Amino acid sequence: MAEYYPKTGVCYDHVESSKIYMIYTFGCNAACDHCLVESNPRKKKKLDPETAIELLRVGSEHGKSFLDLSGGEAMLYPDEILQVVGAARDLGYYVCLNTNAYWARTPERTRRVLSELKEAGVRAVFPSASAYHLRYVPLERVKHLRQACYDLDVTYELNWVFSDQPEADDLIKREMGLDGETLYFDSLVTSGNNSETIQRLEQVYTKRVPDDMDDCFSVHLGVNPHGHVVSTCNMTYDNQKFRGTPFFLGDFRKESFDTILHREKASPVQQFLYHNPHPAMHRLLSEEPEFGPYYRETFASRSYFSVIDYYLDLFRDERTMTWLDANLPGAVAKAAAASRSKT
């Protein structure tokens, strides 16, 4: 699999530093094999409206203005989601909702629920469709939601997953008439509910060297019911792989969110990546006269499923982090000065 989608759509209209990706619940009506946060009906841990709204309030004081609500399945709690969305709207957020559309049982019900979401402040909806979702959510419901979005003028972007079942992929594309429709998909995250499926997906997805990798703009602030604050929407259930790296910013249940957001602003790594997507870091390191030879010898031929895996590999390398700690603040300051000179 070597195709990319055009860099268009809602997520590309907003800068990474403005975003909050909020996993509202780990619970879900489904238990999809590939789910990176391992959601299923047995998991009950979630945020509550008061906590979510406080995170958004503090976030707005730090320049956050884009909310991507997700799960699990956030619409297991529709009244709470309406409350959170309304507060986000009042705080000035552009609000998006990820959903598997299980609730879109009939066209009439779908229009009614989507109308309530739109009135509360939802401006974009990202339904999911894949061979794995198909076990739990009939395609008709995704089609109901797509049509309701068109009718009610709510932005619709389909979250697609390439599966290890090409016949099912083809069926979904045919039944939904997806020829000509942009399919938004992420790179492979090697965690999920079914390890055997993940192993098969590793044969479907393509690993790439840094020169050839795509960047789907996945470096931005994320929060989850555990309290984890991680600067990527590729968060996993336990986020173990991010601990000890610049991606793991803290735990809002153990310290204030305000403190964590100050840490985010003070992190040269975060600020560089937010404003300089791949391949900027790769070019910076490979072209540096003294450090470049070591970097190219160590990383140029390594391959990764995602740009996040590439960054994690960099951050776990002591010599690379020493160089970044010493030199990245200057690079960030130089880029900021250049940006100011243009305004």
Side-chain angles (χ1 to χ4, degrees), residues 28 147-148 323:
C28 190
Q147 188 59 51
W323 190 91

Side-chain angles (χ1 to χ4, degrees), residues 150 153 227 291 309 326:
Y150 292 161
D153 195 26
F291 185 75
D309 288 346

Side-chain angles (χ1 to χ4, degrees), residues 172-213:
I172 294 169
K173 290 179 180 179
R174 185 169 62 252
E175 290 295 315
M176 290 195 64
L178 296 181
D179 285 346
E181 181 173 321
T182 299
L183 304 178
Y184 294 86
F185 59 91
D186 206 348
S187 305
L188 178 65
V189 178
T190 54
S191 65
N193 282 316
N194 188 315
S195 59
E196 293 180 358
T197 296
I198 298 300
Q199 289 174 5
R200 290 194 295 271
L201 285 173
E202 290 176 356
Q203 307 306 311
V204 175
Y205 282 73
T206 304
K207 278 189 168 183
R208 294 183 172 85
V209 297
D211 272 335
D212 298 334
M213 282 192 304

Side-chain angles (χ1 to χ4, degrees), residues 323-340:
W323 190 91
L324 289 174
D325 288 340
N327 295 277
L328 208 53
V332 171
K334 182 178 179 181
S339 178
R340 287 193 298 271

Side-chain angles (χ1 to χ4, degrees), residues 28-90:
C28 190
N29 61 294
C32 296
D33 284 4
H34 72 297
C35 180
L36 73 167
V37 293
E38 302 170 40
S39 294
N40 62 59
R42 298 183 304 278
K43 287 186 173 164
K44 306 300 181 185
K45 195 163 189 177
K46 67 179 198 64
L47 297 174
D48 57 74
E50 293 75 19
T51 300
I53 291 168
E54 177 62 10
L55 293 173
L56 295 172
R57 184 193 67 76
V58 176
S60 69
E61 294 177 350
H62 286 261
K64 305 300 183 185
S65 59
F66 181 95
L67 172 63
D68 191 359
L69 264 173
S70 191
E73 176 52 55
M75 286 298 288
L76 289 175
Y77 306 96
D79 292 340
E80 295 183 16
I81 292 304
L82 288 171
Q83 186 178 347
V84 172
V85 168
R89 174 203 60 206
D90 293 343

Side-chain angles (χ1 to χ4, degrees), residues 213-282:
M213 282 192 304
D214 190 30
D215 190 338
C216 61
F217 281 33
S218 53
V219 180
H220 51 262
L221 196 79
V223 298
N224 72 11
H226 292 317
H228 300 168
V229 183
V230 184
S231 55
T232 175
C233 59
N234 283 357
M235 290 190 295
T236 60
Y237 178 70
D238 61 14
N239 289 312
Q240 192 60 41
K241 69 179 183 180
F242 298 110
R243 293 178 183 273
T245 78
F247 277 128
F248 197 95
L249 291 169
D251 185 335
F252 66 76
R253 299 195 185 278
K254 296 180 179 178
E255 60 182 333
S256 74
F257 194 45
D258 180 72
T259 296
I260 295 171
L261 291 183
H262 278 292
R263 185 177 301 136
E264 175 197 32
K265 285 184 177 179
S267 168
V269 168
Q270 300 307 325
Q271 296 309 311
F272 184 88
L273 295 181
Y274 284 167
H275 300 287
N276 303 276
H278 187 77
M281 178 77 79
H282 170 56

Side-chain angles (χ1 to χ4, degrees), residues 29 73 75 98-106 109-110 125-128 133 136-146:
N29 61 294
E73 176 52 55
M75 286 298 288
N98 289 272
T99 180
N100 62 27
Y102 85 96
W103 48 271
R105 297 183 182 92
T106 66
R109 185 178 194 278
T110 306
V125 176
F126 307 148
S128 297
H133 293 92
Y136 305 96
V137 181
L139 278 181
E140 278 305 306
R141 299 188 185 186
V142 183
K143 292 163 75 172
H144 292 162
L145 183 52
R146 177 175 61 180

